[in-house]
Amino acid sequence: MGHAAFLAPEKTAAEVNYDATLYFPLDRYPETGDHIRDAIAAGHSSVCTVDRHGAEANREEALKGYPTKTGYDRDEWPMAMCEEGGAGADIRYISPSDNRGAGSWVGN
């Protein structure tokens, strides 16, 4: 399992505990970036312990009570692929192009 810290403004001493640190490209995916920043500011984790096997269950739990809306994706933070994701995740409706582009960027 890997760990990643998101949106860290500068490298901290704590980052030595992580396998990777991702600096999210806010200029490329502003809606997703704003969502991540706001969710972290509201108390959600800035760390993602990668757990791809749990992603489907986490996504199902996170999105309960958030119906689909035409023209929008439901973005969750922490992401479903994170051990920290799932029930209680912060959900925001954002444009599909921003959400899917950001997901592709993180996946790569």
Side-chain angles (χ1 to χ4, degrees):
M1 259 188 250
H3 304 285
F6 286 80
L7 294 176
E10 56 188 50
K11 196 166 185 89
T12 66
E15 288 178 314
V16 299
N17 297 319
Y18 303 127
D19 295 333
T21 301
L22 299 179
Y23 297 96
F24 191 81
L26 296 169
D27 58 331
R28 289 178 61 188
Y29 309 107
E31 291 178 74
T32 302
D34 286 347
H35 181 211
I36 294 169
R37 185 178 26 224
D38 293 348
I40 291 170
H44 289 275
S45 180
S46 64
V47 173
C48 173
T49 307
V50 177
D51 177 19
R52 293 188 189 279
H53 296 303
E56 187 175 327
N58 279 352
R59 184 170 289 107
E60 186 176 318
E61 283 297 312
L63 298 179
K64 277 184 183 176
Y66 292 90
T68 59
K69 287 186 179 183
T70 302
Y72 293 92
D73 277 359
R74 296 169 293 172
D75 184 44
E76 69 266 12
W77 184 265
M79 296 178 292
M81 68 168 219
C82 303
E83 190 175 284
E84 297 79 10
D90 191 87
I91 307 301
R92 184 174 292 180
Y93 293 96
I94 65 173
S95 69
S97 61
D98 194 282
N99 187 44
R100 296 171 195 183
S104 178
W105 182 88
V106 169
N108 287 320

